[in-house]
Amino acid sequence: MSEKFRVARLDEMEPQRGADDSRWFRLRRDLDVGAFGVNAYGADSGQRVIEEHDELGTAAGKHEELYVVLRGSARFELDGEEHTVPAGSCVFIRETSLRRGAIAEE
């Protein structure tokens, strides 16, 4: 692997198990990213893919979050409102107190 860049496919990476048996890819660690946090999550249809949370707790990073739906779609709950987000779409959350979570739709 080059020290100048890295190329990786999620399908070829070994996931860890996340909340509710979702698949968690620790991209920051596996790609040795130092400038920002980045992870990838996956789940089968009907399963939770992003655990419900905010960024206020003692273990929280207290940072903004960007979610990118790469395949299928996900039903995000954002501050009590549901949004179906298809592949190729992004969800950006600026407010640390906003409750968020997602269920894989397909």
Side-chain angles (χ1 to χ4, degrees), residues 13-32:
M13 299 176 80
E14 186 65 35
Q16 294 184 341
R17 289 292 166 194
D20 297 320
D21 207 33
S22 65
R23 293 176 296 282
W24 177 28
F25 299 88
R26 299 183 69 178
L27 299 180
R28 181 179 178 138
R29 181 198 66 192
D30 293 347
L31 298 176
D32 196 28

Side-chain angles (χ1 to χ4, degrees), residues 63-101:
H63 52 260
E64 299 172 340
E65 292 184 323
L66 173 66
Y67 297 98
V68 180
V69 179
L70 297 175
R71 295 186 198 130
S73 65
R75 182 173 25 95
F76 279 79
E77 186 169 321
L78 305 168
D79 210 20
E81 296 180 22
E82 288 192 357
H83 301 269
T84 299
V85 180
S89 301
C90 301
V91 175
F92 173 62
I93 301 171
R94 182 180 315 278
E95 179 58 48
T96 57
S97 65
L98 189 133
R99 296 288 297 171
R100 79 283 318 252

Side-chain angles (χ1 to χ4, degrees), residues 47-52 74-77 100-104:
Q47 291 185 315
R48 179 158 296 281
V49 66
I50 303 294
E51 70 277 5
E52 189 175 326
R75 182 173 25 95
F76 279 79
E77 186 169 321
R100 79 283 318 252
I103 304 289

